[in-house]
Amino acid sequence: MTKEYRGKVFKSGNSVALRLPKALGIKEGTEMILREEHGKYIAEPVPSPRRKIDISKFWGKAPGLKVPVREDFDERPSILAGRLGTKEA
């Protein structure tokens, strides 16, 4: 059996707001998505973006692990010149 909570709708400026009980455990400032399905309202927290893991500092600690080449940006001319053995003008 699910628990039932009651909230109260009140006017806030030109909008209406729903005050939710603390017992729900929703943290203050949590962004929510609200949608209507078949005459019922469903509120869900906005999914947080997936975190990316930076492995650049671990490559020397694991034998055989190579840092992938980043192709999402161009190299600096000074680094490229150093690799090619030419001097930058």
Side-chain angles (χ1 to χ4, degrees):
M1 186 171 213
T2 59
K3 286 188 175 183
E4 184 176 293
Y5 296 95
R6 291 182 181 238
K8 188 167 188 166
V9 177
F10 61 97
K11 186 171 169 100
S12 176
N14 288 331
S15 301
V16 291
L18 175 62
R19 185 173 287 133
L20 300 172
K22 187 178 182 179
L24 290 174
I26 300 171
K27 293 181 182 178
E28 182 179 340
T30 302
E31 190 175 355
M32 303 290 282
I33 296 174
L34 182 67
R35 67 178 186 272
E36 181 183 4
E37 288 184 4
H38 308 291
K40 295 183 179 186
Y41 296 102
I42 299 171
E44 298 175 331
V46 173
S48 58
R50 294 187 61 149
R51 293 178 56 198
K52 294 182 180 179
I53 299 173
D54 180 17
I55 61 164
S56 63
K57 294 184 177 63
F58 297 108
W59 71 271
K61 297 179 180 164
L65 181 64
K66 295 183 181 180
V67 178
V69 177
R70 293 193 60 183
E71 297 175 354
D72 56 342
F73 63 92
D74 294 330
E75 285 189 287
R76 292 184 197 175
S78 60
I79 294 174
L80 192 57
R83 188 177 319 139
L84 297 175
T86 58
K87 288 192 172 187
E88 193 175 346

